Amino acid sequence: MVAPVTTGVGRADRAAPGPGPGRSRVAWLVVVPFLAYVGTFLVYPTVSVLAGAFQDADGGFTPTNLADLTRGAYLRAFLRSIELSAITALLGAVLGALLSWAVAGGAPDGPLRRVVVAGAGVLAQFGGVPLAFAFLATVGFQGFVTRFLRDSFGVDLFAGGAWLFELPGLTLVYTFFQIPLMVIVFLPALDGLRPQWREAVDSLGGTAWTYWRHVGGPVLLPAFLGAVLLLFANAFSAYATAAALVSQGSPIVPLQIRGFLTGEVLLGRENLGKALGLGMVVVVGVAMGLYAVVQRRFARWQR
Amino acid sequence: MNHTRVLRSVVVGVTALALITACGTPPPKDGAANGTAAATAKSAADFGGLDKLVEAAKGEGRLNVIALPPDWANYGELIEAFEAKYGIEVDSAQPDASSQDEINAAKQLKGGDRAPDVFDLGLTVALANTDVFAPYQVRTWADIPDELKEPSGLYYGDYGGFMSIGYDAAKVPAPTAVKDLLKPEYQGKVALNGDPTQAGAAFSGVVMAALGNGGSADDIAPGVEFFKQLKAAGNFLPVDPSPATVESGQTPVVIDWDYTNAAQTAKLAGKVDWKVVVPAEAQVGGYYNQAINKDAPHPAAARLWQEFLYSDEGQNLYLKGLSRPVRMDAMTKSGTVDAAAAAKLPKTSGEQVFPTQEQSDKAKQVLAATWAQAVG
């Protein structure tokens, strides 16, 4: 049933008259600065990273940078980065989806929804150094929550070690901006559920479970998976928050790259840093490729 | 005061960046005519004496410095004294940047009039970037020990110090040896200034730990092992120490150069009882180096800055910040050293270790291979 519709759209496109020569000149005027911008800040750095990843310190070709990525501390950093991004993406997706669901059930103009949507819009952008300092001030070694718990209840938040400055801390802090992002990207999908579907299930004698199992779940699944991938890429490429929080050990890839570019002890390893960058491009590329596939499936339900 | 200085440098930096992106390479300034001569001058004599150098520098009117924290080796006062003495405005960019950041800035801003004129570098970075430096010998060149200077004057030691343990005497007992830090009294309290695979000070901290645990400058593995134990005991803090973390009590023990720790003592007097100790069994010294950017936008001012830093006045200002100026021995002999300031230096005696370049290179390979696992 879907195929004829698609061809119809395609034919209509082809039949449409092309833009006039004057309009195309204006279009170029708008597009050229954009292309220049993209070329300068996206294409050029990518090409330079790609080329540098295969060069040694003297500019000669070498595969050793990439080979280094497959072992030791670099491989571990990649695995940790992927683990951190996957866990925070799943946590953010599940908690964010539940929050969206709670909000979507209410009145579209109700105060609850307005507050949550506005809050999510702000908090999803509340990353980087301010976020790290917010956590240091509350649950850091001398944070007020830490001191309150210690002084009033004798509970030591750091009895298990300096967790805030390691992976568990990063997980907690990252989740803080993942949940609001999930609300932003997932709420429209929930709004897409038509009340008539629920009524149809009810009138055919179905329960709430039947509805979610056979209608709501399958419709939302691609959107949910797509959001998980988006959150994954978001966490994987995050840098400033981790940089402000972690100063020892560089547990994740972006922090290792920082070490190669600004370190004053081990020099001449910029190209290894570029190889790490290339590795990150590949990982995010895979995630975004999957995202595109999922989105295409999702698009069918929206027509 | 420091805040305004930082704020000013930020504002200046941002404006500079905007200007550079807006107009590309700025046109050469008025001083460019004698600038070529200044850019190749290898000593004050090439200018026709110090007075002529001062004149040329005043004509340029500015000096760009980078990565000089006001609370590090007394740079705040050095800059103010230089400005007051010669009426030359000093632009201090990115006070907290690393040595490598200095070189990166010089390369990125090359040709612009905001590029750094002079560098203050760890030895490793200095050795790797001699092609960026202009040779220059200050008038007091003979006083600098041979092992601390490049013969043609591409770079030369300016001040040094020893690795030390700074601690809040109200919170922890006084440590007398590196090993003391493993005791339960130091739980969750010991911070190292930076990641030793990236920051020179932290690197020397690991060498100090090695000496205090049966290792040597040739074998720093015991140092890495020490930090591994420190972490296992729950004593090691992965927090980057700063005056703010010290004052708020987040980092009650800080392993850093003695002059940086000593600066905290002065800065926090009345708030925190900050004391400094150089462990007797583990005295690791190190010198920083001065160099002039060969593409310095203010070549005469850059050379005058060197003359100032290596004059008795400049060297005594370093000493006032409790770092050990490179001409200290010569000045002690000639009696020009500030004796009161020298008396305040943390006490050191017995065996002192200054790692050679070969030892450092070897140690770095060990760190690259083992550090991430030890504290990760």
Side-chain angles (χ1 to χ4, degrees):
Chain A
M1 293 304 285
V2 175
V5 179
T6 321
T7 23
V9 170
R11 206 179 302 136
D13 256 1
R14 242 172 280 140
R23 213 183 122 191
S24 107
R25 214 170 296 135
V26 175
W28 271 109
L29 273 179
V30 179
V31 166
V32 166
F34 172 74
L35 287 180
Y37 182 85
V38 170
T40 313
F41 294 103
L42 189 68
V43 179
Y44 171 69
T46 311
V47 170
S48 117
V49 160
L50 186 66
F54 290 98
Q55 283 171 0
D56 56 25
D58 303 322
F61 174 83
T62 175
T64 49
N65 291 329
L66 284 190
D68 280 347
L69 296 194
T70 59
R71 56 178 176 257
Y74 311 118
L75 179 65
R76 272 198 307 281
F78 263 104
L79 293 179
R80 272 209 209 108
S81 272
I82 290 171
E83 183 191 348
L84 171 68
S85 311
I87 290 175
T88 60
L90 281 175
L91 273 176
V94 170
L95 296 175
L98 287 174
L99 182 59
S100 311
W101 174 73
V103 172
D109 289 328
L112 173 72
R113 181 173 174 129
R114 284 186 175 194
V115 167
V116 170
V117 170
V122 173
L123 292 177
Q125 301 305 320
F126 183 54
V129 180
L131 180 63
F133 278 116
F135 271 84
L136 287 178
T138 45
V139 292
F141 282 105
Q142 298 295 325
F144 74 88
V145 172
T146 314
R147 291 169 86 146
F148 176 73
L149 288 177
R150 197 172 50 211
D151 299 343
S152 309
F153 301 101
V155 178
D156 184 5
L157 279 183
F158 290 95
W163 57 272
L164 181 62
F165 304 93
E166 293 163 5
L167 270 197
L170 286 180
T171 310
L172 174 72
V173 176
Y174 276 32
T175 309
F176 196 79
F177 59 71
Q178 295 279 51
I179 294 175
L181 181 62
M182 181 65 182
V183 171
I184 292 175
V185 298
F186 196 61
L187 199 53
L190 273 173
D191 288 341
L193 291 180
R194 314 245 161 91
Q196 296 92 317
W197 298 346
R198 182 64 192 261
E199 288 159 14
V201 171
D202 284 347
S203 57
L204 289 169
T207 59
W209 166 247
T210 332
Y211 169 72
W212 285 111
R213 168 78 184 75
H214 296 287
V215 184
V219 170
L220 289 182
L221 186 66
F224 183 79
L225 291 179
V228 170
L229 287 165
L230 196 69
L231 264 55
F232 176 88
N234 186 43
F236 193 75
S237 57
Y239 164 73
T241 316
L245 212 51
V246 181
S247 71
Q248 292 291 344
S250 301
I252 58 173
V253 183
L255 296 186
Q256 282 198 333
I257 296 178
R258 163 183 71 172
F260 291 133
L261 297 184
T262 68
E264 59 186 55
V265 174
L266 294 157
L267 302 180
R269 302 201 300 172
E270 290 85 356
N271 288 330
L272 189 50
K274 284 179 179 164
L276 285 175
L278 180 61
M280 289 190 72
V281 170
V282 170
V283 171
V284 172
V286 168
M288 289 295 99
L290 288 172
Y291 178 73
V293 170
V294 168
Q295 281 301 301
R296 210 171 299 142
R297 280 189 63 90
F298 179 43
R300 279 194 207 156
W301 291 102
Q302 283 191 321
R303 278 209 201 99
Chain B
M1 191 181 70
N2 289 338
H3 289 291
T4 28
R5 180 178 291 280
V6 172
L7 191 66
R8 204 186 64 195
S9 1
V10 169
V11 171
V12 167
V14 169
T15 326
L17 209 62
L19 282 175
I20 287 162
T21 25
C23 33
T25 311
K29 298 182 300 359
D30 308 338
N34 67 4
T36 32
T40 53
K42 291 187 172 62
S43 67
D46 289 358
F47 284 90
L50 187 66
D51 292 344
K52 289 276 178 356
L53 169 57
V54 171
E55 202 177 290
K58 279 186 175 165
E60 290 170 355
R62 292 182 88 82
L63 174 74
N64 298 340
V65 300
I66 181 170
L68 302 184
D71 55 356
W72 175 289
N74 208 18
Y75 265 122
E77 206 177 333
L78 275 162
I79 291 173
E80 275 165 27
F82 181 76
E83 284 184 323
K85 184 165 185 178
Y86 297 111
I88 292 171
E89 193 179 334
V90 177
D91 258 340
S92 178
Q94 290 179 263
D96 289 325
S98 71
S99 293
Q100 187 59 43
D101 288 335
E102 298 177 38
I103 303 293
N104 293 348
K107 288 184 174 161
Q108 279 153 14
L109 297 174
K110 188 175 174 174
D113 70 351
R114 298 288 165 175
D117 289 306
V118 290
F119 306 111
D120 178 56
L121 303 165
L123 184 59
T124 305
V125 177
L127 281 170
N129 293 286
T130 48
D131 57 327
V132 186
F133 307 151
Y136 185 79
Q137 298 187 348
V138 289
R139 289 176 308 149
T140 47
W141 178 255
D143 287 353
I144 305 172
D146 284 343
E147 64 272 22
L148 292 176
K149 62 190 179 193
E150 196 278 332
S152 71
L154 282 172
Y155 61 87
Y156 28 103
D158 46 8
Y159 59 89
F162 287 92
M163 244 318 122
S164 70
I165 303 170
Y167 61 98
D168 184 342
K171 287 215 173 82
V172 293
T176 55
V178 179
K179 273 187 183 162
D180 284 355
L181 299 179
L182 287 170
K183 292 179 181 169
E185 291 95 310
Y186 297 97
Q187 178 134 44
K189 295 195 168 72
V190 183
L192 177 63
N193 189 8
D195 182 322
T197 61
Q198 296 169 28
F203 172 76
S204 297
V206 178
V207 180
M208 176 183 87
L211 294 179
N213 288 275
S216 68
D218 287 305
D219 174 25
I220 64 147
V224 177
E225 179 61 28
F226 170 79
F227 279 101
K228 197 174 172 181
Q229 288 172 13
L230 205 61
K231 185 180 156 68
N235 291 9
F236 185 54
L237 271 178
V239 180
D240 229 358
S242 68
T245 64
V246 169
E247 188 173 350
S248 66
Q250 285 191 74
T251 53
V253 179
V254 173
I255 298 175
D256 203 345
W257 292 115
D258 53 359
Y259 47 86
T260 327
N261 266 327
Q264 304 282 13
T265 309
K267 194 170 188 176
L268 299 174
K271 294 184 208 153
V272 178
D273 186 11
W274 194 254
K275 292 209 159 70
V276 190
V277 58
V278 176
E281 83 287 10
Q283 299 176 41
V284 181
Y287 277 84
Y288 272 79
N289 295 275
Q290 279 294 320
I292 296 174
N293 184 357
K294 72 171 181 193
D295 298 310
H298 311 106
R303 283 155 177 81
L304 183 60
W305 172 249
Q306 303 304 328
E307 294 291 357
F308 174 71
L309 291 183
Y310 289 85
S311 68
D312 289 352
E313 183 186 0
Q315 295 276 297
N316 274 328
L317 280 172
Y318 274 134
L319 184 59
K320 208 173 151 198
L322 294 182
S323 59
R324 290 163 171 79
V326 74
R327 287 180 54 227
M328 190 154 171
D329 282 348
M331 286 168 64
T332 309
K333 272 181 205 142
S334 67
T336 49
V337 76
D338 180 344
K344 284 191 192 150
L345 287 180
K347 299 286 170 285
T348 53
S349 61
E351 197 199 347
Q352 304 183 337
V353 177
F354 290 83
T356 65
Q357 195 55 36
E358 294 81 58
Q359 286 171 329
S360 293
D361 287 344
K362 204 170 130 193
K364 280 164 202 162
Q365 297 315 314
V366 175
L367 269 188
T370 58
W371 180 257
Q373 261 168 308
V375 303

